[in-house]
Amino acid sequence: MTEEKISSSSHPNVLGLIADGETLYRTMDLDLKEMTWDTDLHQAVLPWVPTPDKQGREGYVHGGVSALFLDTVAGFAANKLIETAGNTAVTASLSIEYKSPVPVDAPLAVIASVTGREGKAIFITAAIVSATDTENIMVQADVKMIEVNSADIK
């Protein structure tokens, strides 16, 4: 297993559109510096302890926030896969299944694994799981990303 720690300085445009210090990602506690990438498994992992400001119902993360985290980590995985091509990947579809409520103030992990590739399409399975029991899948997503020329995105 080859795992590398990601830093926003070494990957300043890792999602094609975000740079270190981007307001949305800072506000949503998306600290990409904690993300790891396993080159052998084609898997990204982001440790996450959601804060109460991310809740919908008291004590639980809002579903839209869960979707944001799944999409972001999936995008990171797709972009790591194609980073040497000089292109970027954008979300084409995101299908989410909410299996159980996601608690705030609990140690979690957002995991995205590249499962396939067909032409410009990159297929990813992403999940929010308990950091102490990765079999405990709270939210799962099937994501389709499309590789595009970075120069075409302004």
Side-chain angles (χ1 to χ4, degrees):
M1 176 172 95
T2 307
E3 189 173 285
E4 78 178 273
K5 193 74 162 180
I6 304 304
S7 75
S8 54
S9 60
S10 66
H11 299 281
N13 202 23
V14 76
L15 295 177
L17 299 174
I18 64 168
D20 188 35
E22 174 70 37
T23 304
L24 171 65
Y25 291 90
R26 191 173 55 245
T27 302
M28 295 308 296
D29 295 332
L30 273 166
D31 187 355
L32 297 180
K33 294 182 292 259
E34 296 301 316
M35 184 108 58
T36 58
W37 172 250
D38 186 310
T39 56
D40 296 331
L41 296 176
H42 292 144
Q43 184 179 74
V45 178
L46 177 67
W48 180 39
V49 178
T51 53
D53 61 320
K54 306 302 179 284
Q55 64 190 0
R57 296 185 66 90
E58 188 172 335
Y60 298 102
V61 175
H62 187 281
V65 173
S66 295
L68 171 71
F69 274 73
L70 290 164
D71 185 44
T72 299
V73 178
F76 180 89
N79 279 285
K80 286 297 289 181
L81 188 70
I82 63 170
E83 71 182 345
T84 58
N87 290 338
T88 193
V90 296
T91 306
S93 65
L94 176 70
S95 176
I96 300 174
E97 181 181 356
Y98 296 91
K99 295 176 175 272
S100 66
V102 177
V104 298
D105 293 325
L108 306 173
V110 186
I111 301 171
S113 302
V114 177
T115 57
R117 177 122 195 221
E118 191 175 303
K120 296 285 186 181
I122 302 165
F123 300 95
I124 298 162
T125 297
I128 298 174
V129 300
S130 167
T132 57
D133 177 12
T134 57
E135 298 297 314
N136 180 9
I137 299 172
M138 297 169 208
V139 185
Q140 186 167 339
D142 291 318
V143 187
K144 178 181 178 183
M145 306 292 271
I146 302 294
E147 181 179 1
V148 297
N149 186 316
S150 296
D152 293 340
I153 298 178
K154 303 278 183 225

